[in-house]
Amino acid sequence: MLDNNKLLVKVKKCLDEKRFNHSLSTAEMAQKLAEEYSYDTEKAYQAGLLHDICRGCSLSRLELWISESRWQLDIWEKQVPALIHSPASAARAEKEFGINDSELLEAVRYHSIGYDGMSRLTSIIFLADKIDSSRSYPGVESARKAAFRSLDEGLMKVCRNTIGYLLENDVLIHPNTLILRNSLLRRKEADE
Ligand SMILES: Nc1ncnc2c1ncn2[C@@H]1O[C@H](COP(=O)(O)OP(=O)(O)OP(=O)(O)OP(=O)(O)OC[C@H]2O[C@@H](n3cnc4c(N)ncnc43)[C@H](O)[C@@H]2O)[C@@H](O)[C@H]1O
């Protein structure tokens, strides 16, 4: 595993100040969630730091990162340029940062859209990206509290916020997030 200080310096070079601060607070939130849910806090912190390393890249650069990697875009991601930075960040983490931990890379790759059946780390990064201390949209505080009651409760709130936000903006919603939300709802109903 890379030394955290070296990683911070390298990640800082990839991002503007606002994005770097978001990545840092996502890493800190991921570390807290990992502690809460008995996961490797160091790995969660590093995944949080790396999750957006391609967020500032041009579309052509994003496509280049993907084309030179084993990662692929699905048919929905191909239609939403704002989603391409996630698989591209996984590709860059692997190639430029030398990360070879497949669980960490998968958490970076799926941090925007999630999917039903996510690992604990992927769930933590999906959540941390949306509830980190730099976010201030309506409903974020309630999602933060839910995330520390249970991972599923946090995921449910974050899916609801994300889907509502995308509907409000009349944009395409990736089906992974809809399927994740339906599955969480089913699990909740089965537990009641
Ligand atoms: N399932 C999906 N299908 C299709 N497109 C998707 C998607 N999930 C995310 N996207 C879009 O993909 C982009 C990247 O998303 P992410 O990968 O989740 O977030 P980001 O890089 O930190 O992006 P940014 O910070 O610029 O985005 P924003 O504040 O608008 O928002 C980032 C996130 O913060 C939350 N959020 C922000 N403002 C909100 C609001 N007013 N209400 C509720 N939730 C809000 C939402 O979860 C939102 O996705 C975003 O533009 C997002 O809209």
Side-chain angles (χ1 to χ4, degrees):
M1 211 174 245
L2 272 181
D3 168 73
N4 278 351
N5 290 330
K6 283 190 190 139
L7 192 60
L8 269 172
V9 172
K10 240 167 123 56
V11 168
K12 198 166 190 185
K13 286 187 187 148
C14 300
L15 298 165
D16 63 25
E17 197 185 345
K18 185 168 168 251
R19 284 274 146 219
F20 176 69
N21 289 338
H22 162 67
S23 298
L24 198 52
S25 57
T26 298
E28 286 164 359
M29 180 57 77
Q31 194 174 33
K32 284 186 203 155
L33 287 168
E35 203 171 340
E36 185 70 22
Y37 295 110
S38 312
Y39 188 80
D40 180 340
T41 52
E42 189 80 348
K43 206 201 275 199
Y45 181 83
Q46 296 205 346
L49 266 189
L50 288 161
H51 82 286
D52 258 351
I53 47 176
C54 275
R55 192 66 174 106
C57 294
S58 65
L59 186 56
S60 57
R61 193 76 193 105
L62 292 173
E63 286 169 348
L64 193 63
W65 280 117
I66 305 274
S67 69
E68 288 176 345
S69 78
R70 65 192 169 89
W71 302 93
Q72 285 176 357
L73 299 175
D74 65 33
I75 52 164
W76 302 101
E77 288 171 319
K78 284 181 184 158
Q79 298 172 59
V80 184
L83 292 177
I84 304 178
H85 73 282
S86 308
S89 295
R92 186 174 189 180
E94 197 166 18
K95 191 165 182 194
E96 193 179 295
F97 289 69
I99 305 288
N100 55 18
D101 183 313
S102 55
E103 205 184 12
L104 191 158
L105 292 170
E106 183 181 290
V108 172
R109 193 261 175 265
Y110 285 103
H111 80 264
S112 297
I113 56 176
Y115 68 92
D116 183 23
M118 292 186 287
S119 70
R120 195 172 304 182
L121 180 61
T122 305
S123 301
I124 285 172
I125 300 303
F126 177 78
L127 270 176
D129 174 43
K130 280 132 190 110
I131 61 167
D132 81 280
S133 61
S134 71
R135 302 260 188 219
S136 59
Y137 56 83
V140 71
E141 194 44 47
S142 152
R144 270 184 204 122
K145 286 188 181 137
F148 285 91
R149 284 196 297 272
S150 90
L151 271 180
D152 274 6
E153 260 195 75
L155 290 170
M156 188 72 187
K157 293 253 185 206
V158 157
C159 284
R160 184 192 298 165
N161 288 341
T162 300
I163 292 166
Y165 170 69
L166 297 169
L167 277 176
E168 200 60 40
N169 285 287
D170 253 340
V171 292
L172 191 150
I173 303 174
H174 195 289
N176 274 25
T177 319
L178 297 170
I179 294 167
L180 171 62
R181 182 262 176 194
N182 288 347
S183 165
L184 289 162
L185 191 68
R186 276 283 158 81
R187 278 218 290 274
K188 187 168 168 250
E189 285 165 357
D191 286 349
E192 284 169 0

